[in-house]
C-alpha cells in the first residue's frame, strides 16, 4: 500500500509540475517522470507487459519526439498564460464548477460504496481468473486471435500517420532538373 | 479493491484539462496536457480491467496507445508545417491553416 501511494503521489506531483513549468523542456521532463511513475504503478497492478510497453512508447518515442520538435522550433520564450498580469480566468468559473461537482460526486460515490481506505496486499504475479496465463501470454491470445482485425487496423492507422507526417513536413521539391546552357 | 485508485484517474484527468485551460496559446504544453488526459484514461481502463478480470480493456488500451502515437506525430507535423509558413506558433492565427 505504501509503495503504491509513493508512486501515485509521485505521478500527481509531477503532473502538477507538468502544467505549471515555465519552460516546455522542463514540462516535458516532468511528463517523463509522470510516465515512469505510472508505469511502475501499472507494474504493481500486475499488467507488466503494458507497463513496459508504456515506457517504451511514451518515454522512448513520444517524449523524444516532443523534445525534438521543441529543440527544432525554438519555442522556449512563451510564458504560460497564468503568469501574465492580464490573464482573465473568470470566464471559466461556471464550467469549472460544474466539472468539479461532477468529478467530486464520482469520487464521493465510490467512497460511499467501498470506503476510502481498505487493506490489501499486492501480488506481483497475479494469475488471471478467466484465462490463467501470464499477462503477455493472455494478451497475445486475445490480441492475435479474437481481435486480429483490430490489430491490422492499428497497423494501418500507424501507416497513415507515418505517411501524413512525411507528407506534411516535406519540402516542395522542384519538378525536375533543368540544364543551364552556357553562353545562351 | 482497486476502485479507490479511481481518485488518481480523476486527479490526472483534471490536471490535464486544467493544463489545457491554463496554458492557452502554448501549443506544445496543450498537447502534453492531452497526453496527461490519455494517461488518465489508460489508468481507468487498466484499473477496471484488473477489477473485473476482462482482457478486452487492455486490448482497447493498446489500441488507444496506437492512436495516441499517431495523434501526437500528426499534431507535431502540423505544428512544424505551421511554423514553416508563419514563423510563430501563436494559436490566435491558427485559422490561416484553412487555406
Amino acid at each position: 500500500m505504501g509503495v503504491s501511494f509513493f508512486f501515485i503521489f509521485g505521478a500527481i506531483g509531477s503532473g502538477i509540475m507538468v502544467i505549471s513549468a515555465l519552460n516546455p523542456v522542463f514540462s516535458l521532463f516532468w511528463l517523463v517522470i509522470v510516465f515512469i511513475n505510472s508505469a511502475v504503478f501499472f507494474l504493481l497492478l500486475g499488467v507488466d507487459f503494458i507497463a513496459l510497453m508504456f515506457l517504451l512508447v511514451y518515454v522512448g518515442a513520444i517524449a523524444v519526439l516532443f523534445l525534438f520538435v521543441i529543440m527544432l522550433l525554438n519555442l522556449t520564450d512563451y510564458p504560460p498564460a497564468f503568469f501574465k498580469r492580464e490573464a482573465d480566468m473568470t470566464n471559466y468559473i461556471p464550467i469549472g464548477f460544474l466539472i468539479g461537482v461532477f468529478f467530486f460526486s464520482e469520487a464521493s460515490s465510490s467512497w460511499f460504496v467501498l470506503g476510502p481506505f481498505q487493506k490489501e496486499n499486492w501480488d506481483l504475479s497475479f494469475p488471471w481468473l478467466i484465462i490463467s496465463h501470464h499477462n503477455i501470454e493472455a494478451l497475445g491470445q486475445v490480441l492475435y486471435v479474437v481481435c486480429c482485425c483490430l490489430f491490422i487496423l492499428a497497423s494501418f492507422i500507424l501507416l497513415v500517420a507515418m505517411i501524413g507526417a512525411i507528407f506534411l513536413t516535406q519540402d516542395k521539391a522542384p519538378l525536375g532538373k533543368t540544364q543551364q546552357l552556357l553562353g545562351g | 479493491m482497486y476502485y479507490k485508485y479511481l481518485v488518481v484517474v480523476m486527479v490526472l484527468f483534471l490536471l490535464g484539462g486544467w493544463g489545457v485551460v491554463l496554458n492557452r496559446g502554448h501549443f506544445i504544453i496543450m498537447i502534453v496536457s492531452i497526453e496527461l488526459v490519455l494517461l488518465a484514461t489508460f489508468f481507468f481502463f487498466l484499473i477496471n480491467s484488473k477489477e473485473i478480470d476482462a482482457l478486452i480493456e487492455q486490448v482497447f488500451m493498446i489500441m488507444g496507445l496506437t492512436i495516441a502515437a499517431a495523434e501526437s506525430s500528426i499534431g507535431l507535423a502540423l505544428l512544424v508545417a505551421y511554423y514553416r509558413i508563419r514563423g510563430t506558433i501563436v494559436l490566435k492565427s491558427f485559422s490561416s491553416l484553412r487555406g
Side-chain angles (χ1 to χ4, degrees):
Chain A
M1 190 172 219
V3 179
S4 65
F5 278 172
F6 176 75
F7 289 110
I8 280 171
F9 283 124
I12 290 174
S14 307
I16 292 172
M17 288 308 292
V18 165
I19 68 168
S20 65
L22 284 174
N23 199 334
V25 180
F26 293 158
S27 167
L28 208 55
F29 283 143
W30 284 110
L31 184 76
V32 168
I33 295 175
V34 171
F35 283 137
I36 289 173
N37 276 317
S38 51
V40 175
F41 178 69
F42 291 163
L43 212 59
L44 287 175
L45 205 58
V47 280
D48 41 6
F49 170 65
I50 284 186
L52 292 178
M53 201 180 62
F54 212 75
L55 273 185
L56 198 71
V57 171
Y58 268 103
V59 182
I62 294 182
V64 174
L65 185 69
F66 274 103
L67 203 61
F68 194 72
V69 169
I70 288 175
M71 297 293 179
L72 187 68
L73 298 186
N74 192 13
L75 305 176
T76 57
D77 50 352
Y78 293 100
F82 57 94
F83 281 103
K84 298 177 193 166
R85 285 294 174 194
E86 65 271 15
D88 188 14
M89 291 291 167
T90 54
N91 290 329
Y92 302 123
I93 287 176
I95 185 69
F97 181 73
L98 284 178
I99 291 174
V101 165
F102 175 71
F103 279 99
F104 184 73
S105 64
E106 295 273 331
S108 59
S109 67
S110 75
W111 282 351
F112 282 150
V113 174
L114 294 170
F117 298 109
Q118 288 171 346
K119 182 170 168 46
E120 68 178 289
N121 38 4
W122 292 101
D123 189 6
L124 285 181
S125 62
F126 182 77
W128 291 91
L129 292 182
I130 297 176
I131 306 168
S132 62
H133 292 294
H134 197 250
N135 184 216
I136 181 170
E137 215 172 336
L139 200 58
Q141 283 186 4
V142 173
L143 190 61
Y144 291 144
V145 177
V146 183
C147 305
C148 59
C149 296
L150 276 180
F151 194 71
I152 296 171
L153 191 66
S155 73
F156 274 110
I157 286 170
L158 284 179
L159 179 69
V160 167
M162 188 177 72
I163 292 175
I166 293 172
F167 180 73
L168 280 174
T169 55
Q170 74 173 354
D171 283 327
K172 294 289 182 291
L175 288 175
K177 292 188 176 178
T178 56
Q179 189 179 15
Q180 279 187 345
L181 297 176
L182 286 177
Chain B
M1 80 188 187
Y2 297 110
Y3 273 142
K4 64 172 178 290
Y5 295 110
L6 292 184
V7 181
V8 186
V9 173
M10 185 188 71
V11 170
L12 279 178
F13 195 90
L14 287 180
L15 275 179
W18 206 15
V20 172
V21 170
L22 286 182
N23 293 301
R24 286 182 66 86
H26 201 152
F27 194 74
I28 290 285
I29 299 186
M30 281 173 70
I31 298 181
V32 165
S33 305
I34 291 172
E35 296 289 334
L36 267 185
V37 173
L38 278 171
L39 174 73
T41 55
F42 293 158
F43 253 99
F44 182 73
F45 280 115
L46 286 185
I47 289 169
N48 271 318
S49 164
K50 259 332 244 202
E51 189 65 38
I52 67 176
D53 267 337
L55 273 174
I56 196 68
E57 297 179 335
Q58 298 188 20
V59 174
F60 190 82
M61 190 234 155
I62 290 176
M63 295 303 146
L65 207 65
T66 310
I67 302 297
E71 165 256 334
S72 60
S73 73
I74 289 287
L76 290 175
L78 276 175
L79 183 68
V80 170
Y82 181 74
Y83 184 80
R84 197 175 279 163
I85 293 172
R86 302 285 293 194
T88 180
I89 57 157
V90 177
L91 275 182
K92 285 178 183 171
S93 54
F94 246 45
S95 57
S96 66
L97 273 183
R98 259 182 298 183

